[in-house]
Amino acid sequence: MEKPFAITLDIGSSLANRTGSWRTERPVYVDRMPPCNNACPAGENIQKWLYAAESGDVADNPDDAKGGNGYEAAWRQIMQDNPLPAVMGRVCYHPCESSCNRAEVDEAVGINGVERFLGDLAIERGWRVEPPTAESGRLSGKKVLVVGAGPSGLSAAYHLRRLGHEVEIREAGPMAGGMMRFGIPKYRLPRDILEGEVARILDLGTGSGAIAQPTLKDQIIGTWTYVSVDLVRPDGAREPLFGPNPQGQASFDGNGRYILMTARAGQAKFTSTNRMEGTPEENKAVVQGSIAHFGSYTIDEATKTIAFHIETSTFPNWNGTDQKRPFTITGDQLTWKTPASTGGGTAEVILKRAK
């Protein structure tokens, strides 16, 4: 029996009718989790920020249809989930790339490298995340204490602050960063990059919702080794006071006690094995080539000065005296300066945090 013409058509093809193509199937767009997003340990919307980054820099592509600065838009999308993109772009083991569909065509998208680039660009250009304000109606009136300023504590403080809560961080260590600072070597994670990302999070604490930054006393606690002790002349010339590689340490505890010792490297040994039998020249070399003192210290946060209250020193004239030094701490470097006692200029001491 001859079947009706319509029944003989294959599903999905109407060309045999010679009346034009008919739609017998309709595609449906399904929004599912991309494999890269699913693999991301930080839960980033990788697909979305990569799409924004395709626009490039607004200076290079001002008429892009997506509008705005593609790089900044991509960075802000990352910051919705992860406040440390420059860090993540260096230390993450990027399982997103192992899951990337593009690898089945040629090779995975370099997601980790793009994230690092965007994080570095944000530091270079000073991009910031605006904290919530009373005018925006986003302040919750709630207060949260975050214990620890490692990656988890900083991330928690960042997201809580963006939700409108007042946040305070308490860190037992000398500086914020946790294992990012003390567990990852500098060649893998440069400290200026870490400082930039941490500072951006702490800057969210302006106004009523302060994220407490480490005090100078918090930062100075610990042991420091000497890098240089120089007399800087008014004309800029430098004279090492304890040689090119001074030896010694300065230690500060949390109770306001300190001990400091510096010595010239490579000092000649005494002729005698008995230190009490040194020649006048040998004794003079030791006195001029070393100094040590201990006592208590106080720090003036406002003027950024440290006051040494010297109890005992190898130079007896210092016993019972106070000495003030303006100082700065940048990353793992401690620097203080004081007017030279003779000859004009300034004595500059540079130390680095002991590992």
Side-chain angles (χ1 to χ4, degrees):
M1 181 176 117
E2 187 177 351
K3 296 181 180 179
F5 177 71
I7 297 177
T8 64
L9 296 176
D10 292 332
I11 299 175
S13 175
S14 58
L15 297 179
N17 290 340
R18 301 180 185 281
T19 59
S21 60
W22 301 350
R23 183 176 70 184
T24 57
E25 296 178 351
R26 183 178 67 181
V28 177
Y29 181 82
V30 180
D31 188 3
R32 293 180 177 171
M33 175 74 76
C36 53
N37 295 19
N38 187 55
C40 178
E44 296 177 14
N45 193 337
I46 297 171
Q47 186 183 45
K48 189 170 183 179
W49 63 254
L50 278 178
Y51 174 78
E54 288 179 3
S55 297
D57 201 331
V58 67
D60 301 328
N61 198 7
D63 298 323
D64 190 271
K66 298 174 188 176
N69 187 332
Y71 289 155
E72 184 173 356
W75 175 79
R76 293 194 179 280
Q77 176 58 49
I78 295 175
M79 294 294 289
Q80 294 288 322
D81 306 302
N82 173 22
L84 301 163
V87 172
M88 188 74 80
R90 285 173 166 79
V91 305
C92 182
Y93 57 97
H94 45 82
C96 53
E97 296 182 18
S98 302
S99 302
C100 180
N101 283 338
R102 184 71 192 184
E104 299 180 10
V105 178
D106 40 37
E107 61 182 358
V109 176
I111 300 168
N112 192 240
V114 178
E115 184 171 22
R116 172 175 171 169
F117 164 75
L118 294 171
D120 289 355
L121 191 64
I123 295 174
E124 177 186 332
R125 297 188 177 179
W127 294 339
R128 289 286 183 264
V129 176
E130 293 300 322
T133 61
E135 292 74 15
S136 67
R138 294 170 51 210
L139 296 181
S140 69
K142 298 179 180 179
K143 298 181 180 180
V144 182
L145 174 64
V146 175
V147 179
S152 298
L154 290 169
S155 296
Y158 168 80
H159 290 294
L160 287 166
R161 186 71 183 110
R162 290 181 62 238
L163 290 172
H165 308 312
E166 293 185 27
V167 181
E168 182 175 346
I169 301 176
R170 289 298 179 187
E171 167 60 46
M175 304 179 75
M179 291 304 293
M180 295 186 294
R181 183 181 300 279
F182 302 111
I184 302 175
K186 294 179 182 178
Y187 70 84
R188 184 69 181 273
L189 179 57
R191 294 303 179 253
D192 59 332
I193 297 297
L194 177 60
E195 293 288 351
E197 301 240 272
V198 170
R200 184 193 302 122
I201 295 174
L202 297 180
D203 285 347
L204 277 176
T206 56
S208 59
I211 298 177
Q213 301 189 38
T215 64
L216 289 173
K217 184 175 181 180
D218 292 335
Q219 296 179 55
I220 204 172
I221 291 173
T223 301
W224 305 78
T225 58
Y226 279 81
V227 175
S228 63
V229 182
D230 292 345
L231 174 62
V232 184
R233 301 290 187 185
D235 61 359
R238 287 178 171 269
E239 177 187 338
L241 297 178
F242 292 92
N245 298 297
Q247 305 296 302
Q249 292 185 342
S251 295
F252 303 87
D253 70 15
N255 296 319
R257 302 290 300 176
Y258 83 94
I259 184 169
L260 179 153
M261 192 281 287
T262 321
R264 181 186 298 272
Q267 292 193 76
K269 293 183 178 180
F270 280 22
T271 304
S272 171
T273 57
N274 187 341
R275 68 183 181 88
M276 304 299 292
E277 298 178 355
T279 66
E281 292 76 15
E282 290 171 338
N283 291 333
K284 181 179 180 180
V286 170
V287 170
Q288 294 182 344
S290 63
I291 187 71
H293 53 91
F294 66 87
S296 60
Y297 74 95
T298 55
I299 289 179
D300 188 325
E301 299 281 340
T303 60
K304 296 182 179 179
T305 57
I306 181 170
F308 294 103
H309 310 291
I310 301 173
E311 296 175 5
T312 303
S313 171
T314 54
F315 182 52
N317 294 27
W318 285 1
N319 293 351
T321 64
D322 292 345
Q323 296 185 8
K324 289 187 177 182
R325 304 281 188 270
F327 75 102
T328 59
I329 297 178
T330 305
D332 292 333
Q333 178 174 300
L334 168 63
T335 304
W336 68 63
K337 300 180 180 181
T338 183
S341 56
T342 59
T346 303
E348 180 185 77
V349 179
I350 299 177
L351 308 96
K352 66 178 180 180
R353 189 178 297 280
K355 300 298 183 183

